[in-house]
Amino acid sequence: MARIRLKNLRHSYRREPGTGADWALQRLDLDFADGSANALLGPSGCGKTTLLNIISGLLRPSEGSVWFGDRDVTPLAPDKREIAQVFQFPVVYDTMSVYDNLAFPLRNRRVPRDAVDRRVREIAAMLDLGDVLDRRASGLSADGKQKISLGRGLVRSDVNVIMFDEPLTVIDPQLKWRLRSKLKELHQRFGITMIYVTHDQTEALTFADRVIVMNDGVVVQSGTPVELFERPQHTFVGHFIGSPGMNLLPATFDDGVARFAGQVVQTTATPGAVAAQSQLQIGVRPEFVSFAGTGIPVSIVKVADLGRFRVVETLHAEFTIRLLVGDDQPLPAERAWLQFDPAFTHLYADGWRLGERPA
Amino acid sequence: MSGRTPNQNAWWLVLPVVLLVAFNAVIPLMTVVNYSVQETFGDNQFFFEGVTWFEQILHSSRFHDALQRQLLFTAIVLAIELPLGVAIALAMPRRGPWVPVCLVLMAMPLLIPWNVVGAMWNIFALPDIGLLGHTLNKLGFDYNFTRQPLAAWSTLVAMDVWHWTSLVVLLAYAGLSAIPDAFYEAARIDGASGWAVFRFIQLPKMKRVLMIAVLLRFMDSFMIYTEAIVLTGGGPGNATSLLSIDLVKIALGQFDLGPAAAMSLIYFLIILLLSWVFYAVMTRDEAG
């Protein structure tokens, strides 16, 4: 087990990459602490699988290096890196029994027979595969096959990291939740570093201690679920995470004060931090907007009841602002005023949170 | 079901297919069955003979010899073409500009008319003027396929391998192309050896197409006629008289229609039976 570091990494699938769009991964440095549970979150095509395959060694990065502990593993093949990876679609060895499938990675590494047996039975019990160990793997359902894939990833106890590439896509929702808790449990029991790729925010936020959000080959933010929620570094994080996403409103910034539609709005931005010519936006999550006696005048357009709270859609001029209201609180009549919580209202310049923009 | 009477007129829609099958399969087959139980004379005189011809064929050493030669020939070409075809398919590039080049090269032998293949190999192997025959003799090998049974057999097998291995290659290649990359990636991470990748991923995934390859190659090689008759004409002597060649000799050479018809039916039943055996053996463990 080891800490994993990606140094100055960059990757393109083209032979002679030129401009920005040619790079599937823009230059990045990342650090995965030993024994951490990480999630790589982002929309399809954002580069998360590329990043995963670079860590596992299936892909050689165009530039930069991969370090496990203080060893540079960039030139090493996957089987020399002592890692495990679970793919999006089940990969099982059809002609083998479930038992032999689970034992395969261990036998290839000449693990003694009794150790293999102990480990296979332990993992099988954990994944509820104990009853089907003697069955042929090809006869199982998609769920069952994916459990075998997961099992083959988990069966080795000596791995540096286990990577999951959207492993629960083919699993039905109920089992999905159970398997996710199993993975979490396994992580706590064995303390193996895990990296979990997904485009599903719920999956990422429930599984990981640290979530890395990617978009267009760029890491836009890396932090705890709370940080992503309370202080999105980029408007992409603001609207990708959270449901509904962050309200983004056009803003101006003069004399150290942010204004939206002529109204002064208190934000976390420090005065003087704004570069000229950049496009400014105020970002505030619906959770931090509330009705008040004064503030931004709006009219209520739509109310959606989500059980414990309601999503209220309001309109100021042509700008939609959403807010969450508890189901015990009364809604004002048609005309109302909004207040933003200044501790969680951020100012973004060209998408990046002010004061947080990387050099 | 509702109380409505089904419209029986739909049966007429099946008629074209029934007619087609009748004309191209049932009627010819029944003609053969008819010949196989009768003695024919000139003036279209027929006498019922029962199973006489079947008994005669089944007890004739000539048929036994031809059948043995046929089984040997089929066994040899299957034993060469299947492993060779799979090996070539594995060696072919999986992607890139060479893929179409390889595929076209592979398809080439399959596009040549069978009698041309026979004629080509005949000329190619002629000991005096053929490139192969002449070269072998120059190198000090005594090679003459028109006189030596072993040379005739080797040439016949070489020709069939040249002509038909491509079919196995193309089928195996199709099977290989259908394997998702994730399988190879998972195997690399699991630390599988090259042999294990072949044994546990490629071979199982190719199984279905290989079954088709075995069946096609079995049936085709068991029925080989055109190329062999052009190349060796069944000779020297009867050395390469395979079943179909012998059958034609009986039917058209000697004009013994009854025995020839009986032999055709036995021949047909052997192919049917062996195909079924192959199929049953290869799909045996799929149910479990």
Side-chain angles (χ1 to χ4, degrees):
Chain A
M1 282 184 227
R3 169 180 175 212
I4 293 168
R5 280 173 303 164
L6 308 177
K7 291 186 185 171
N8 237 339
L9 210 65
R10 193 144 89 126
H11 188 75
S12 172
Y13 290 100
R14 291 168 189 270
R15 216 167 276 169
E16 284 167 26
T19 54
D22 287 352
W23 296 92
L25 270 188
Q26 306 285 350
R27 194 171 298 288
L28 63 88
D29 286 273
L30 267 178
D31 207 326
F32 300 92
D34 190 8
S36 58
N38 307 276
L40 281 176
L41 178 66
S44 304
C46 70
K48 51 197 196 302
T49 297
T50 303
L51 186 58
L52 205 65
N53 287 342
I54 286 174
I55 300 173
S56 64
L58 291 170
L59 208 59
R60 187 89 188 255
S62 311
E63 292 173 21
S65 55
V66 181
W67 294 73
F68 287 6
D70 35 13
R71 203 157 72 108
D72 182 358
V73 297
T74 320
L76 293 188
D79 57 313
K80 301 281 183 301
R81 293 190 181 190
E82 304 304 339
I83 46 118
Q85 187 167 355
V86 179
F87 297 89
Q88 184 171 8
F89 295 102
V91 175
V92 298
Y93 303 107
D94 285 340
T95 51
M96 294 188 198
S97 67
V98 173
Y99 185 99
D100 290 338
N101 257 282
L102 295 178
F104 192 60
L106 298 176
R107 287 178 180 157
N108 285 331
R109 290 178 174 80
R110 315 217 176 285
V111 175
R113 181 185 284 266
D114 52 333
V116 170
D117 190 65
R118 209 172 334 114
R119 191 69 189 166
V120 166
R121 291 189 188 282
E122 186 185 359
I123 292 294
M126 212 144 26
L127 293 170
D128 303 327
L129 287 170
D131 307 336
V132 293
L133 276 179
D134 299 328
R135 291 251 310 267
R136 234 168 197 266
S138 60
L140 268 65
S141 64
D143 284 355
K145 286 182 179 174
Q146 189 63 344
K147 284 206 267 182
I148 296 175
S149 290
L150 280 169
R152 275 209 326 276
L154 300 168
V155 76
R156 293 170 55 206
S157 49
D158 59 339
V159 290
N160 286 313
V161 54
I162 306 180
M163 283 169 283
F164 304 92
D165 191 355
E166 309 201 20
L168 304 181
T169 310
V170 293
I171 307 269
D172 73 44
Q174 222 183 341
L175 191 62
K176 217 179 215 172
W177 191 84
R178 269 185 43 218
L179 281 177
R180 210 160 52 216
S181 336
K182 278 265 192 285
L183 289 180
K184 188 93 194 170
E185 185 190 317
L186 276 165
H187 175 254
Q188 276 155 4
R189 234 168 95 188
F190 299 118
I192 297 175
T193 313
M194 292 187 178
I195 303 176
Y196 191 107
V197 163
T198 178
H199 61 253
D200 178 338
Q201 51 165 313
T202 320
E203 242 175 72
L205 298 174
T206 52
F207 173 80
D209 310 326
R210 188 173 67 141
V211 179
I212 296 150
V213 184
M214 295 184 69
N215 188 33
D216 286 338
V218 178
V219 172
V220 284
Q221 187 169 6
S222 152
T224 64
V226 172
E227 281 168 1
L228 296 184
F229 183 75
E230 292 183 349
R231 280 152 51 97
Q233 280 195 44
H234 192 275
T235 51
F236 176 79
V237 180
H239 74 75
F240 193 71
I241 291 177
S243 172
M246 186 178 240
N247 294 301
L248 291 168
L249 307 164
T252 55
F253 196 77
D254 301 299
D255 312 324
V257 206
R259 284 190 177 80
F260 160 63
Q263 300 267 347
V264 171
V265 177
Q266 295 291 326
T267 67
T268 54
T270 45
V274 183
Q277 308 256 317
S278 50
Q279 199 212 330
L280 292 177
Q281 281 172 300
I282 286 171
V284 58
R285 291 196 179 276
E287 287 82 353
F288 303 121
V289 182
S290 55
F291 287 117
T294 59
I296 299 160
V298 292
S299 53
I300 296 174
V301 180
K302 206 161 78 184
V303 180
D305 200 332
L306 298 184
R308 280 185 29 243
F309 52 81
R310 287 162 288 182
V311 178
V312 182
E313 193 177 311
T314 64
L315 207 59
H316 172 91
E318 76 265 35
F319 306 110
T320 301
I321 305 169
R322 292 188 181 82
L323 66 155
L324 293 191
V325 180
D327 61 353
D328 48 343
Q329 286 169 315
L331 288 180
E334 230 165 82
R335 288 208 56 76
W337 291 266
L338 296 181
Q339 288 286 347
F340 300 162
D341 185 337
F344 302 105
T345 303
H346 310 288
L347 190 61
Y348 294 90
D350 294 335
W352 294 93
R353 185 167 170 270
L354 271 181
E356 307 271 350
R357 190 173 194 167
Chain B
M1 295 292 280
S2 68
R4 289 167 56 191
T5 317
N7 185 344
Q8 300 289 343
N9 285 333
W11 286 106
W12 291 107
L13 298 175
V14 191
L15 193 63
V17 147
V18 170
L19 284 177
L20 192 72
V21 172
F23 275 104
N24 88 38
V26 179
I27 292 175
L29 188 66
M30 290 319 291
T31 314
V32 174
V33 172
N34 192 32
Y35 278 128
S36 74
V37 291
Q38 310 211 45
E39 170 74 289
T40 28
F41 292 102
D43 285 345
N44 260 350
Q45 294 178 341
F46 288 92
F47 299 94
F48 187 71
E49 285 281 355
V51 294
T52 316
W53 304 133
F54 289 92
E55 282 173 352
Q56 187 186 320
I57 290 292
L58 287 173
H59 288 112
S60 93
S61 58
R62 178 177 168 176
F63 176 74
H64 291 169
D65 291 348
L67 180 60
Q68 272 172 22
R69 282 191 288 267
Q70 187 63 67
L71 289 169
L72 182 66
F73 176 75
T74 294
I76 292 174
V77 298
L78 279 180
I80 297 176
E81 288 171 15
L82 280 166
L84 185 63
V86 170
I88 295 175
L90 286 171
M92 271 166 63
R94 213 56 52 78
R95 42 179 76 90
W98 288 103
V99 171
V101 176
C102 288
L103 288 178
V104 168
L105 277 179
M106 280 296 140
M108 216 88 103
L110 300 174
L111 300 176
I112 300 172
W114 297 1
N115 55 345
V116 176
V117 172
M120 259 167 55
W121 274 80
N122 184 301
I123 296 166
F124 181 51
L126 277 177
D128 40 4
I129 56 160
L131 179 64
L132 176 70
H134 187 71
T135 312
L136 282 176
N137 280 301
K138 277 283 173 210
L139 289 172
F141 297 98
D142 179 24
Y143 169 88
N144 186 339
F145 76 92
T146 59
R147 277 196 223 120
Q148 302 149 337
L150 185 63
W153 266 82
S154 316
T155 316
L156 197 60
V157 167
M159 176 184 68
D160 199 78
V161 168
W162 177 85
H163 193 185
W164 288 112
T165 303
S166 298
L167 181 74
V168 182
V169 173
L170 293 179
L171 285 168
Y173 189 77
L176 285 174
S177 310
I179 303 174
D181 286 341
F183 279 80
Y184 295 109
E185 293 174 349
R188 283 174 70 189
I189 285 165
D190 288 341
S193 62
W195 164 250
V197 169
F198 176 70
R199 170 70 186 79
F200 298 117
I201 296 176
Q202 291 170 324
L203 201 55
K205 295 276 173 203
M206 276 194 291
K207 199 176 136 185
R208 282 169 180 280
V209 286
L210 283 185
M211 193 184 76
I212 296 170
V214 168
L215 281 178
L216 284 178
R217 280 319 298 136
F218 162 70
M219 289 188 282
D220 277 350
S221 66
F222 212 80
M223 294 187 285
I224 182 173
Y225 176 74
T226 315
E227 303 119 293
I229 197 83
V230 177
L231 181 68
T232 64
N238 276 331
T240 56
S241 276
L242 302 169
L243 271 181
S244 61
I245 294 178
D246 206 40
L247 178 63
V248 173
K249 278 184 193 166
I250 295 173
L252 301 178
Q254 301 158 215
F255 227 73
D256 287 333
L257 291 187
M263 186 176 162
S264 302
L265 288 176
I266 294 166
Y267 194 176
F268 169 63
L269 289 176
I270 292 173
I271 293 179
L272 204 62
L273 178 74
L274 288 179
S275 299
W276 177 77
V277 169
F278 274 121
Y279 185 79
V281 168
M282 295 185 73
T283 52
R284 182 188 41 186
D285 33 45
E286 238 154 71

